[in-house]
Every structure is written in structure tokens, then in C-alpha cells.
């Protein structure tokens, strides 16, 4: 690459950095003041692209485009204020897990809303009036709109900086970022402050989205892509730091632009196409920053993370009643193949439920006793599923070997990602796990030659006798029972206790010689291993695997299963996963807008049923005095 | 050889020189109090000994081995137990499980995956709880305990690895007078029985003067006095730095003796 080409890529990177900065700055501001990680931030960005598109095409011309961008920022800002007022205000005191889930519910609802209003097709906006041409720089043509974007990022940074340092509103924001309670104690109206900060952050996301319509089409997938990018930027720059967000946006965008600029390089013995490695590069930047500075380049260590809402009961061995119930359920399940003649769908449903149980039990293992709220458990499911499918496709491995390799691949992934994840806690951990899962998904999606890209891998059918659904059902049942009992055994063993000790009080656990990070890391790895079993079983059960089955939605499904059952109970994930899988296979298949329905269920759960089903029953049981 | 010896310890935070050239030693079985007004550097000193902070310079010798900068868990493995200023336990476990956890860690069984934790070292854990008078609540969830009882359980946990040195950060903070003396008497009895050395910080002078074998005084990061209760009581510099008012320790010490 020549120097000219290099400089040209630097300019390209700077124009992308502005977009990244706008969305990350809003996310960071909102988190700084409200301590809520707004997962719906990418959705606000996406709405920005759609609304600006509508203005630009329906009104048209200079007014429609530039006026539309301003109007879009205002509308999305107002929507943000409404969201804060109606929903978030109710959950400021809730555990952060619930806040994350509630904002994710909004992601689902907003996505279906956009689908309903604008339809599924990509919508390409007009070119920007006044910036239609290109400028010749260094012998190459750079769209003049890109130059405009390069300028807009630093301008917004400057405006935000002046607002934060020179105005009363800005001083309040900074004060609240440092000590929220003190600001309240000094008589500042927090409700108004929170609403206005949320509106400002949302407006920035809307602006960022609106500015993109001249470059990229409005698309229903942008919400999660933008969210993933914003997470990486915010983690690298440091939560709550606006200059950090710009710095990180520039670094990430430059690294990506340079990867594309380098293109294919022949090293003599091997040829590498660097433009396919933009995501890996992004991951590497984040990993390096997190090792050197766990709270980001310009971030500060966060205060103690809030603990779970209700104090947790000590775990007790299963009562005779529970054991009898378990045996009864198992007996019914073993007899289920007898029904195969009359209604074969029951077995398909049964396999889905059992896979969901393994998935949820493994997530609960780190989420409950480990206190690590992973928002990226789909990564290990995906590694298992794709691992098994690809081994069959490329190496023609038999099912048995593939099913053994699947969890091992997931284990390898969990060991790698977990090593970073356990160094963080709370929302940082949630964001990092989510970012890792996005990377796995994107790698599968981008690496078309190997993984089949968006088409996925097909023809992964089990050999006889497992091609009969009742045999495969029994195989799944055996593995599910083994997984659940094994994880339970681990939780009652010293290792499980050490995991809980590290969660209850890391300081005290360290003070009695427990290496908390190591224990949690190994716990994370075990959960990945078991989750890989679910992934492998899934691939053979469906006969195929595609990127969407390992998307972030699956991670969130897992969280909902665990919360539905109750995170503080050991049997909760089993009940939650069963109910969820049944719901998904029955009710949700009936409607095109299943995402919105799912979002509504999550909101209902978070606002009214925080202990989950089993948890609610257990506390009711204690209240009526029925101790066994 | 001293159980613990500090030599020329320094620690700064930004421009604040929190601990300057502090050095002292604790002999075997000694009950040593570290006192000083707020901001004297007691907590910083303590946190360097227990591994939460690494000193800028200086040595912390535990039976001759330099432990400065080691992780808290490694220092614990060398036989240095500790209790916290704000006592707490592992809230999701029963009282006896809390003690068992420490015993499991001491036996290096933390990574065992099969036999239930509740069957590990149960008898020994109950014995330790009996020594601190907490055997009756052994099977209650530990988060339900009264604060004074939590302090006792924490002591049982700290004794689980047969420490040769016990670091107690304000062991009686947040307790009433009679409860306070009960706890310190218990500590004193246990350490005498087992020959453990104790270093403790304390704000209640009655406790310090009634129980400590020796007292060291810190002020503005420096060690200004080191000696038995009588020496400290008569030390001009201590009176000046500590109170500045000319008030002496005589009153509180006599109260302590009566209680």
C-alpha cells in the first residue's frame, strides 16, 4: 500500500468514525447519568434512518433532506424522553439484569414496529443536496459527503464538550455521573435531569442514523449491528466518557478502514485477505484495551455492582417430594415416544424443549451461582452447532464424533472469551459477552466459503437409527438429563460453593484463598461446554444451521428462560426453558410479529414477575409455612 | 524471628504521602494495637499487609519472607488471616457452610466437583463455631444473623486456616460496649490458646488500653510511638498529635479496666 492510499484510507476511517461516535456518545451519556445500558440505542439509531428516509423522499429536496435530519433528531429525542418517562422510570431501582432485559424488549418491539410501518425491504435514501459530487484527494475520488461527515464528528464532540463544561445542564450531568445520590440530596430534580439526558442521548442516536441515509440503505438489521459497534466503542473508550467515545470511534474505524485498505496480501507461504478480518481486528483492539485498561481508555472504575434483588436462600438438597416429581416427569418423557404414532409433532416439540433446557441450565450455571450475566450465550451454542455441522460437511465425520467435538469447540471458545469476560463485572461483562457473540455470528456470516454465509449449512441429518425422531428424542433426553444432573452436582460441590462465594463477596472469597477470577473463568468454560452439547444436538435435530439461529436473539431467549423460571432457584431454568420453548413453538409461530409479542412478554416478566415462576411459587410456599 | 516485620514502608496516592517509612515488628503471640487519628495511614498500612495494596517501597516480612505486593489469597495461604471492618459473610450460605468454605479452600479442595461441599470438614467447622459460641445458629442462613454474631462467625472463618497472624481491622466497630468487650475477650482467649499474633486497629481506646500487649501510634503517615500502654499514655508526642487538647488516656483506660 502506498502512502497516498494509506492516507486516503485514514480519511475514509474518519468519516465512519463520526457515525460510530454519534451513537456511542448517546449511549455513554445515558449510562453515565442513569446507570442504565440502553440496549434499545441501536433501535433509536435505526429509527433515525427510517424517519429521515421518509422525510427525504416524501418532502424531498433540500428541506426534506437537511430539514428532515434535524426533525428526525428531534423526533427520536422526544421518543427517547417518552421511553424514559413510561418505562425506565419504573426500573431504576431494579437489578441491572432487568434493566438490560427491559431495554432489549424495546429492541424487539421497535424492530417489529419498523417492519410494520416501512416493510421488510431495504430503503435507499437520496444523495445529500449540496454534497452530491466527489472531491479529488491524493489522486482518488472521495465523496464530498464523507468530508462533511469527517467534520460533523468533531463538531458534535465540541458542542457536547461545551454543553458539559459551560452550562448548568452540563454541570448537572457531570455531577450526576460522578455521584448520583449527592445530586439528588442537593435538591436537583432528578426526574427532569434523567428524562432530558435520555432525550439528548436518543437525539444523538437519531441524528447519527439520519446522517447515514445518504450512504447506506435503511435496513431492519441495523439496530443490532449499530448496538454492537457502539458497545465496542464505549467499552474501548470508557463508559461515560465523551472524549473517550470519540477517541475509540476513531481507533476502531481506522483499524477497520486499514484492514480494507490493505486488502489481500501474499506472504509467500500464505495469502491473507485482510478485508475479511475487520471484525477480528475490532475484537483484537477491544481485547488489547481491556487487558491494559479494564475500564476503557478514558474511563474510570465503576462503583460496586448492585446485587440481585432478593437475598438468596442457601441451596438445599432435593426434598423427597422434588425427587419424586423429577422421577415422574422423567417417566412421562421416557414414555413420550409411544405417542409418536398418533402425533409425531409431540416428539419434535419435545426435542426443542430438551435442547432449550440444556441451553438454559448452562446459562443459569454462570448467571445465578456465578453472578455473571452473559448476554452472549448464543456464541457457545453457535460454536457447538456450527462445529458439528461443519465437521459433517467438510470432513464427513460421523454424528457421534461430531457430537463429542461440538462441546469441545464451545469449550475452547468459552475459555478464550471467558478469560476476558471474568475480568469485568456487571454491565461491562454483559456488553463484552454480547460483543463476543456478535463476533462469532459475524464471522459465521462473513466467512461464506467455509460456513455457507447467510445460507448456512444444510444436510446435517443424523444417521440411522437416529433418523427416527423417537430415537433422537431419547438421545436428547439422555444428554439433557445428564447435563442437568451434572451441573447440579457441580453446584453442590466445593467448586459451585466457591463460585457463589466469589459472587457474594469477591473480597472475602479472595481473603480465604479463593482465586475468584479463575473459579469464575472455569465456571464460564463449563457452561460453554454444556451449551455446546445443546448446539450440536440442535444442528442434527434440524438437519441444518443458519446464522440467524445463533443470533443475539438466542442469547436473550436464554436470559428470558432463566428469568421466567427464576434465577435464584436450581429447578427454575428447567421450568422456564420448558415453558418458553412450548410458547415459542405454539403461540409465536402464529404471528408475523412474534418479536413484539416476545418483547411484551419480557416487559410483563420484568415489571410484574421479577422472581420468576419457580421463585414466586417458592416464596408463596414459604409464606404459607410449608417447609418440607 | 518476628511473625511480621515491616521495614521502611511507603505509599503515596497522587500527592498524598499516606504512609512514610513505617517500620515495626510483631513477636509471636503478641496482641498489637495500631492506633492513630483519622487519616493517619492505618488502613493503608493494613491493606498493604493483607495484599490489597502494593507498597511503593519497603518490605513486609512474614517470618522472614517478603510478602509485599503478593495477592491477598497468597498472603492468606502463608497463614495470615483477616477480618473486615464491616463484617459480612457469604449471604447465600448457611453459617456452617461459610466456615466450611474456608476449610475447603485451606485444604486446597476448591476445584473438587463431585462430593457435596456440605460433607467437607463439617465436624471441624462446627467445632470452630462452638469456639466462638455460634454452634446454635450453625444451620441458619448467615444473612439472618445479628451484626455481633456475624463478627463472631467471621472470626471462626479467619481461624479456619490455623493462622499464625490475624489482622483485624476495627474488630469492634459498630458494636455496643459490653458486646465489644465480649468479642475482644474471646479473641484474646483464642489467640493465647493457639499462640497466634494479632495486629488490630481500633478506635475505642478502652479496648486498646485494656487488652493490647503493645501499642503503636501512627500520625500523618508516620510511626510516632511504639510501646506498652503506660509508655504510650505518657508519650508527649502522642498526646499532642492525637488529642492536641492535653486530654490524656487515663480516663478511658480506667473505664476499660472496670468493664
Amino acid at each position: 500500500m502506498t502512502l497516498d492510499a494509506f492516507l486516503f484510507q485514514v480519511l475514509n476511517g474518519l468519516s465512519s468514525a463520526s457515525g460510530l461516535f454519534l451513537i456511542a456518545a448517546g449511549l455513554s451519556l445515558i449510562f453515565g447519568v442513569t446507570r442504565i445500558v440502553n440496549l434499545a440505542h441501536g433501535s433509536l439509531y435505526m429509527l433515525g434512518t427510517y424517519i429521515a428516509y421518509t422525510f427525504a423522499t416524501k418532502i424531498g429536496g433540500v428541506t426534506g433532506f437537511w430539514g428532515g435530519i434535524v426533525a428526525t433528531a428531534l423526533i427520536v429525542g422526544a421518543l427517547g424522553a417518552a421511553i424514559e418517562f413510561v418505562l425506565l422510570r419504573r426500573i431504576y431501582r431494579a437489578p441491572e439484569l432487568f434493566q438490560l432485559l427491559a431495554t432489549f424488549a424495546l429492541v424487539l418491539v421497535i424492530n417489529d414496529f419498523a417492519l410494520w410501518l416501512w416493510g421488510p425491504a431495504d430503503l435507499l435514501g437520496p444523495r445529500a443536496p449540496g454534497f452530491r459530487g466527489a472531491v479529488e484527494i491524493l489522486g482518488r475520488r472521495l465523496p464530498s459527503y464523507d468530508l462533511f461527515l469527517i467534520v460533523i464528528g468533531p463538531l458534535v464532540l465540541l458542542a457536547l464538550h461545551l454543553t458539559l463544561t459551560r452550562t448548568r445542564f452540563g454541570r448537572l450531568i457531570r455531577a450526576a455521573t460522578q455521584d448520583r445520590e449527592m445530586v439528588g440530596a442537593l435538591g436537583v430534580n432528578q426526574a427532569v435531569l434523567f428524562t432530558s439526558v435520555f432525550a439528548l442521548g436518543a437525539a444523538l442516536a437519531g441524528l447519527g442514523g439520519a446522517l447515514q441515509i445518504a450512504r447506506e440503505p435503511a435496513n431492519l438489521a441495523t439496530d443490532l449491528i449499530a448496538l454492537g459497534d457502539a458497545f465496542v466503542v464505549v467499552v474501548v473508550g470508557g463508559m461515560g466518557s465523551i472524549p473517550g467515545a470519540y477517541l475509540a470511534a476513531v481507533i476502531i474505524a481506522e483499524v477497520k478502514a486499514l484492514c480494507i485498505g490493505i486488502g489481500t496480501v501474499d506472504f509467500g507461504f500464505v495469502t491473507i485477505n485482510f478485508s475479511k478480518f475487520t471484525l477480528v481486528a475490532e475484537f483484537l483492539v477491544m481485547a488489547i484495551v481491556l487487558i491494559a485498561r479494564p475500564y476503557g481508555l478514558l474511563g474510570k472504575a465503576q462503583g460496586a455492582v448492585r446485587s440481585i434483588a432478593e437475598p438468596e436462600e442457601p441451596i438445599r438438597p432435593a426434598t423427597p417430594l422434588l425427587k419424586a416429581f423429577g422421577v415422574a416427569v422423567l417417566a412421562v418423557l421416557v414414555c413420550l415416544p409411544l405417542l409418536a404414532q398418533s402425533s409425531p409433532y409431540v416428539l419434535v416439540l419435545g426435542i426443542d424443549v430438551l435442547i432449550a433446557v440444556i441451553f438454559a441450565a448452562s446459562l443459569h450455571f454462570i448467571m445465578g451461582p456465578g453472578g455473571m450475566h452473559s448476554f452472549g450465550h448464543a456464541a457457545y451454542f453457535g460454536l457447538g452447532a456450527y462445529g458439528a455441522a461443519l465437521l459433517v460437511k467438510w470432513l464427513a465425520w460421523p454424528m457421534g464424533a461430531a457430537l463429542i467435538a461440538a462441546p469441545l469447540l464451545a469449550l475452547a471458545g468459552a475459555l478464550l472469551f471467558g478469560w476476558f469476560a471474568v475480568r469485568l463485572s456487571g454491565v461491562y461483562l454483559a456488553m463484552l459477552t454480547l460483543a463476543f457473540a456478535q463476533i462469532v455470528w459475524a464471522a459465521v456470516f462473513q466467512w461464506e466459503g467455509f460456513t455457507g454465509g447467510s445460507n448456512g449449512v444444510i444436510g446435517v441429518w443424523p444417521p440411522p437409527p437416529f433418523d427416527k425422531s423417537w430415537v433422537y428424542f431419547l438421545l436428547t433426553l439422555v444428554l439433557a438429563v445428564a447435563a442437568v444432573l451434572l451441573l447440579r452436582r457441580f453446584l453442590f460441590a466445593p467448586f459451585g460453593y466457591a463460585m457463589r462465594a466469589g459472587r457474594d463477596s469477591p473480597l472475602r472469597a479472595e481473603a480465604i484463598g479463593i482465586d475468584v477470577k479463575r473459579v469464575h473463568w472455569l465456571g464460564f468454560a463449563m457452561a460453554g461446554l454444556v451449551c455446546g452439547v445443546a448446539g450440536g444436538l440442535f444442528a442434527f435435530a434440524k438437519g441444518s444451521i443458519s446464522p440467524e439461529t445463533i443470533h443475539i436473539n438466542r442469547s436473550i431467549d436464554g436470559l428470558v428462560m432463566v428469568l421466567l423460571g427464576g434465577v435464584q432457584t436450581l429447578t427454575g431454568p428447567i421450568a422456564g426453558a420448558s415453558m418458553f420453548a412450548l410458547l415459542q413453538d405454539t403461540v409465536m409461530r402464529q404471528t408475523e410479529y412474534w418479536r413484539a409479542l416476545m418483547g411484551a412478554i419480557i416487559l410483563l416478566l420484568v415489571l410484574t414477575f421479577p422472581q420468576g415462576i419457580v421463585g414466586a411459587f417458592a416464596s408463596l410456599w414459604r409464606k404459607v409455612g410449608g417447609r418440607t | 524471628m518476628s511473625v511480621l516485620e515491616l521495614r521502611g514502608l511507603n505509599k503515596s496516592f497522587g500527592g498524598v504521602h499516606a504512609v512514610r517509612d513505617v517500620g515495626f515488628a510483631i513477636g509471636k503471640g503478641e496482641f498489637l494495637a495500631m492506633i492513630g487519628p483519622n487519616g493517619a495511614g492505618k488502613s493503608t498500612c493494613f491493606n498493604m499487609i493483607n495484599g490489597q495494596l502494593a507498597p511503593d517501597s519497603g518490605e513486609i516480612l512474614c517470618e522472614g519472607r517478603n510478602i509485599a505486593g503478593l495477592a491477598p489469597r497468597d498472603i492468606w495461604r502463608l497463614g495470615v488471616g483477616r477480618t473486615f471492618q464491616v463484617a459480612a459473610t457469604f449471604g447465600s450460605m448457611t453459617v456452617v457452610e461459610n466456615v466450611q468454605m474456608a476449610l475447603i479452600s485451606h485444604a486446597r479442595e476448591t476445584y473438587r466437583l463431585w462430593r457435596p461441599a456440605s460433607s467437607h470438614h463439617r465436624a471441624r467447622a462446627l467445632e470452630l463455631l462452638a469456639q466462638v459460641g455460634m454452634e446454635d445458629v450453625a444451620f441458619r442462613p448467615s444473612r439472618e444473623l445479628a451484626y455481633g454474631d456475624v463478627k463472631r462467625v467471621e472470626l471462626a472463618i479467619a481461624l479456619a486456616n490455623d493462622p499464625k497472624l490475624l489482622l483485624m481491622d476495627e474488630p469492634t466497630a459498630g458494636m455496643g460496649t459490653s458486646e465489644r468487650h465480649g468479642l475482644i475477650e474471646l479473641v484474646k482467649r483464642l489467640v493465647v490458646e493457639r499462640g497466634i499474633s494479632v495486629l488490630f486497629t481500633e478506635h475505642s481506646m478502652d479496648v486498646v488500653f485494656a487488652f493490647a500487649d503493645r501499642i503503636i501510634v501512627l500520625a500523618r503517615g508516620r510511626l510516632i510511638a511504639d510501646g506498652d500502654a503506660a509508655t504510650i499514655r505518657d508519650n508527649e508526642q502522642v498526646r499532642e498529635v492525637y488529642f492536641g487538647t492535653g486530654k490524656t488516656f487515663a480516663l478511658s483506660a480506667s473505664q476499660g479496666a472496670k468493664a
Side-chain angles (χ1 to χ4, degrees), chain A residues 377-602:
Chain A
H377 211 50
Y380 316 105
F381 188 85
L383 285 170
Y386 264 94
L390 291 172
L391 284 170
V392 171
K393 183 186 172 188
W394 292 110
L395 302 175
W397 278 27
M399 184 178 84
L403 278 184
I404 290 170
L408 295 178
L409 281 165
L411 172 71
L415 280 171
L416 175 67
F417 294 155
W419 191 86
F420 294 104
V422 297
R423 258 137 252 277
L424 303 177
S425 62
V427 291
Y428 281 85
L429 185 136
M431 290 199 302
L432 191 64
T433 49
L434 194 149
F436 282 138
Q438 284 291 84
I439 285 163
V440 169
W441 174 81
V444 162
F445 198 79
Q446 277 190 340
W447 203 357
E448 220 172 319
F450 184 58
T451 62
S454 57
N455 296 323
V457 184
I458 52 168
V460 195
W461 293 111
F466 295 101
D467 55 343
K468 291 192 187 60
S469 60
W470 70 269
V471 184
Y472 198 77
F473 171 81
L474 288 180
L475 173 71
T476 312
L477 181 61
V478 168
L479 289 176
V481 169
V484 165
L485 289 181
L486 209 62
L487 287 177
R488 193 180 162 87
R489 185 97 206 179
F490 293 169
L491 285 181
F492 279 95
F495 182 79
Y497 271 68
M499 242 184 9
R500 284 195 294 139
R503 172 202 65 185
D504 285 356
S505 172
L507 203 62
R508 283 179 176 76
E510 290 277 343
I512 55 165
I514 297 172
D515 189 341
V516 173
K517 282 199 176 72
R518 199 180 143 95
V519 167
H520 280 179
W521 179 48
L522 292 175
F524 199 95
M526 282 179 201
L529 180 85
V530 173
C531 185
V533 175
L537 284 171
F538 181 84
F540 284 102
K542 302 291 170 198
S544 67
I545 180 88
S546 68
E548 70 206 54
T549 50
I550 68 163
H551 202 223
I552 178 181
N553 285 327
R554 182 164 299 271
S555 299
I556 304 295
D557 287 354
L559 288 170
V560 174
M561 291 175 201
V562 172
L563 289 179
L564 196 62
V567 69
Q568 295 187 351
T569 59
L570 297 185
T571 44
I574 301 170
S578 310
M579 276 202 58
F580 183 87
L582 287 172
L583 262 179
Q584 199 173 36
D585 276 20
T586 52
V587 182
M588 290 194 209
R589 290 264 157 89
Q590 308 295 317
T591 165
E592 189 188 351
Y593 299 109
W594 58 270
R595 284 183 209 84
L597 185 66
M598 177 78 190
I601 292 174
I602 296 176

Side-chain angles (χ1 to χ4, degrees), chain A residues 188-529:
Chain A
V188 173
N189 186 337
Q190 285 200 65
V192 173
L193 180 66
F194 281 26
T195 311
S196 45
V197 165
F198 210 90
L200 176 62
L204 284 172
L207 179 66
L211 285 171
Q212 290 301 317
I213 59 160
R215 301 177 90 204
E216 283 162 19
N219 173 311
L220 285 173
T222 44
D223 53 355
L224 292 176
I225 293 171
L227 181 69
D229 283 345
F231 271 7
V232 173
V233 169
V234 166
V235 167
V236 168
M239 269 289 194
S241 165
I242 302 297
Y246 188 70
L247 182 65
V250 169
I251 293 174
I252 300 274
E254 289 300 344
V255 167
K256 281 181 148 182
L258 290 180
C259 273
I260 293 169
I262 292 170
T264 310
V265 179
D266 191 356
F267 287 102
F269 56 96
V270 63
T271 311
I272 294 178
N273 183 356
F274 278 94
S275 58
K276 291 261 178 199
F277 283 94
T278 53
L279 284 156
V280 177
E282 191 176 321
F283 160 67
L284 281 178
V285 169
M286 185 165 73
I288 292 166
V289 169
L290 282 177
I291 295 168
R293 296 186 61 92
Y295 296 98
L297 292 172
L298 300 182
K300 292 197 183 78
Q302 232 189 306
V305 180
R306 257 164 302 190
S307 57
I308 30 183
E310 292 266 313
E312 192 174 304
E313 285 289 311
I315 56 173
R316 314 257 187 213
T319 56
L321 191 69
L322 183 64
K323 278 183 184 154
F325 182 70
V327 170
V329 170
L330 196 59
V332 171
L333 287 175
V334 169
C335 297
L336 209 58
L338 298 176
L339 288 171
Q341 264 73 30
S342 54
S343 53
Y345 185 66
V346 170
L347 285 179
V348 176
L349 196 61
I351 291 170
D352 280 355
V353 167
L354 289 171
I355 290 173
V357 165
I358 304 177
F359 182 61
S362 70
L363 176 60
H364 171 264
F365 187 71
I366 48 173
M367 216 175 120
M372 294 176 276
H373 300 158
S374 168
F375 270 62
H377 211 50
Y380 316 105
F381 188 85
L383 285 170
Y386 264 94
L390 291 172
L391 284 170
V392 171
K393 183 186 172 188
W394 292 110
L395 302 175
W397 278 27
M399 184 178 84
L403 278 184
I404 290 170
L408 295 178
L409 281 165
L411 172 71
L415 280 171
L416 175 67
F417 294 155
W419 191 86
F420 294 104
V422 297
R423 258 137 252 277
L424 303 177
S425 62
V427 291
Y428 281 85
L429 185 136
M431 290 199 302
L432 191 64
T433 49
L434 194 149
F436 282 138
Q438 284 291 84
I439 285 163
V440 169
W441 174 81
V444 162
F445 198 79
Q446 277 190 340
W447 203 357
E448 220 172 319
F450 184 58
T451 62
S454 57
N455 296 323
V457 184
I458 52 168
V460 195
W461 293 111
F466 295 101
D467 55 343
K468 291 192 187 60
S469 60
W470 70 269
V471 184
Y472 198 77
F473 171 81
L474 288 180
L475 173 71
T476 312
L477 181 61
V478 168
L479 289 176
V481 169
V484 165
L485 289 181
L486 209 62
L487 287 177
R488 193 180 162 87
R489 185 97 206 179
F490 293 169
L491 285 181
F492 279 95
F495 182 79
Y497 271 68
M499 242 184 9
R500 284 195 294 139
R503 172 202 65 185
D504 285 356
S505 172
L507 203 62
R508 283 179 176 76
E510 290 277 343
I512 55 165
I514 297 172
D515 189 341
V516 173
K517 282 199 176 72
R518 199 180 143 95
V519 167
H520 280 179
W521 179 48
L522 292 175
F524 199 95
M526 282 179 201
L529 180 85

Side-chain angles (χ1 to χ4, degrees), chain A residues 315 317 485-498 500, chain B residues 97 100-101 103-104 107-123:
Chain A
I315 56 173
L485 289 181
L486 209 62
L487 287 177
R488 193 180 162 87
R489 185 97 206 179
F490 293 169
L491 285 181
F492 279 95
F495 182 79
Y497 271 68
R500 284 195 294 139
Chain B
E97 283 170 351
Q100 282 175 280
M101 188 71 245
L103 290 165
I104 285 169
R108 297 182 183 272
E109 295 165 345
T110 307
Y111 297 96
R112 300 262 168 110
L113 289 171
W114 203 248
R115 205 154 58 83
S118 54
S119 64
H120 284 72
H121 312 289
R122 174 146 276 176

Side-chain angles (χ1 to χ4, degrees), chain B residues 74-135:
Chain B
D74 297 324
I75 291 175
W76 180 82
R77 291 247 174 253
L78 294 171
V80 181
R82 70 181 284 201
T83 64
F84 290 79
Q85 188 175 344
V86 180
T89 50
F90 302 123
S92 67
M93 299 179 194
T94 62
V95 172
V96 70
E97 283 170 351
N98 265 279
V99 184
Q100 282 175 280
M101 188 71 245
L103 290 165
I104 285 169
S105 175
H106 181 47
R108 297 182 183 272
E109 295 165 345
T110 307
Y111 297 96
R112 300 262 168 110
L113 289 171
W114 203 248
R115 205 154 58 83
S118 54
S119 64
H120 284 72
H121 312 289
R122 174 146 276 176
R124 174 78 183 128
L126 289 172
E127 195 184 308
L128 280 168
L129 283 174
Q131 286 176 12
V132 298
M134 285 288 111
E135 68 273 35

Side-chain angles (χ1 to χ4, degrees), chain B residues 214-233:
Chain B
R214 208 178 104 215
I215 301 167
I216 54 176
V217 187
L218 291 184
R220 296 205 194 108
R222 288 178 197 278
L223 186 79
I224 60 163
D226 180 344
D228 62 15
T231 319
I232 297 298
R233 206 176 283 138

Side-chain angles (χ1 to χ4, degrees), chain A residues 66-262:
Chain A
W66 296 107
I69 287 181
V70 176
T72 301
L74 294 176
I75 292 173
V76 176
L79 181 69
I83 289 172
E84 197 276 344
F85 195 75
V86 174
L87 174 65
L88 299 183
R89 204 161 268 201
R90 292 168 207 283
I91 54 171
Y92 281 131
R93 291 182 177 281
E96 61 200 8
L97 180 61
F98 286 71
Q99 299 172 345
L100 290 169
L101 273 171
T103 54
F104 190 79
L106 289 176
V107 172
L108 298 171
V109 172
I110 291 174
N111 197 283
D112 264 1
F113 171 75
L115 173 67
W116 172 75
L117 195 61
W118 285 287
D122 286 8
L123 303 174
L124 185 60
R127 297 240 215 122
F131 291 92
R132 288 181 209 273
V135 184
E136 187 150 320
I137 296 175
L138 304 165
R140 289 174 167 74
R141 291 173 65 76
L142 187 73
S144 55
Y145 191 71
D146 283 16
L147 280 179
F148 167 73
L149 286 181
I150 291 179
V151 178
I152 211 85
L155 276 183
V156 173
L157 174 64
L158 184 69
L160 278 176
H161 180 74
L162 289 178
T163 311
L164 287 177
T165 50
R166 300 287 166 83
T167 65
R168 180 180 144 78
F169 176 61
R171 276 197 295 275
L172 286 180
I173 291 180
R174 283 188 299 143
T177 305
Q178 283 189 358
D179 193 335
R180 192 161 53 147
E181 267 146 38
M182 196 63 211
V183 171
L186 290 174
V188 173
N189 186 337
Q190 285 200 65
V192 173
L193 180 66
F194 281 26
T195 311
S196 45
V197 165
F198 210 90
L200 176 62
L204 284 172
L207 179 66
L211 285 171
Q212 290 301 317
I213 59 160
R215 301 177 90 204
E216 283 162 19
N219 173 311
L220 285 173
T222 44
D223 53 355
L224 292 176
I225 293 171
L227 181 69
D229 283 345
F231 271 7
V232 173
V233 169
V234 166
V235 167
V236 168
M239 269 289 194
S241 165
I242 302 297
Y246 188 70
L247 182 65
V250 169
I251 293 174
I252 300 274
E254 289 300 344
V255 167
K256 281 181 148 182
L258 290 180
C259 273
I260 293 169
I262 292 170

Side-chain angles (χ1 to χ4, degrees), chain B:
Chain B
M1 191 171 16
S2 310
V3 173
L4 184 79
E5 187 178 354
L6 277 61
R7 285 185 192 161
L9 216 54
N10 278 287
K11 181 76 187 176
S12 300
F13 299 101
V16 185
H17 208 148
V19 170
R20 278 173 207 260
D21 277 326
V22 167
F24 61 87
I26 308 172
K28 188 166 165 54
E30 203 170 15
F31 207 62
L32 177 64
M34 187 200 286
I35 63 171
N38 286 328
K42 302 186 298 288
S43 295
T44 308
C45 248
F46 234 75
N47 285 336
M48 286 191 284
I49 300 170
N50 65 36
Q52 256 169 268
L53 288 173
D56 295 337
S57 66
E59 288 182 320
I60 303 168
L61 301 172
C62 180
E63 293 191 329
R65 181 179 166 181
N66 191 2
I67 59 166
L70 288 187
R73 58 173 180 274
D74 297 324
I75 291 175
W76 180 82
R77 291 247 174 253
L78 294 171
V80 181
R82 70 181 284 201
T83 64
F84 290 79
Q85 188 175 344
V86 180
T89 50
F90 302 123
S92 67
M93 299 179 194
T94 62
V95 172
V96 70
E97 283 170 351
N98 265 279
V99 184
Q100 282 175 280
M101 188 71 245
L103 290 165
I104 285 169
S105 175
H106 181 47
R108 297 182 183 272
E109 295 165 345
T110 307
Y111 297 96
R112 300 262 168 110
L113 289 171
W114 203 248
R115 205 154 58 83
S118 54
S119 64
H120 284 72
H121 312 289
R122 174 146 276 176
R124 174 78 183 128
L126 289 172
E127 195 184 308
L128 280 168
L129 283 174
Q131 286 176 12
V132 298
M134 285 288 111
E135 68 273 35
D136 292 343
V137 294
F139 296 97
R140 293 251 304 273
S142 66
R143 63 183 160 77
E144 289 175 1
L145 292 186
Y147 189 67
D149 291 347
V150 174
K151 289 254 174 195
R152 284 168 181 262
V153 173
E154 215 185 24
L155 183 61
I157 294 171
L159 293 173
N161 68 331
D162 293 323
K164 44 196 170 222
L165 173 67
L166 200 54
L167 303 170
M168 307 185 79
D169 195 0
E170 302 215 11
T172 68
M175 301 174 89
T177 310
S178 64
E179 221 184 0
R180 197 151 69 200
H181 284 266
L183 182 75
I184 290 293
E185 267 160 25
L186 171 68
V187 173
K188 181 115 187 175
R189 183 167 52 78
L190 288 173
V191 299
V192 168
E193 279 169 13
R194 294 153 174 256
I196 303 174
S197 316
V198 174
L199 173 65
F200 71 109
T201 63
E202 188 55 71
H203 271 295
S204 26
M205 292 306 143
D206 53 341
V207 168
V208 171
F209 282 87
F211 292 98
D213 297 330
R214 208 178 104 215
I215 301 167
I216 54 176
V217 187
L218 291 184
R220 296 205 194 108
R222 288 178 197 278
L223 186 79
I224 60 163
D226 180 344
D228 62 15
T231 319
I232 297 298
R233 206 176 283 138
D234 298 334
N235 186 309
E236 270 310 312
Q237 209 186 350
V238 173
R239 287 191 198 184
E240 195 182 322
V241 170
Y242 210 88
F243 286 124
T245 57
K247 182 181 160 191
T248 68
F249 292 115
L251 185 63
S252 49
S254 61
Q255 277 175 347
K258 266 183 275 174

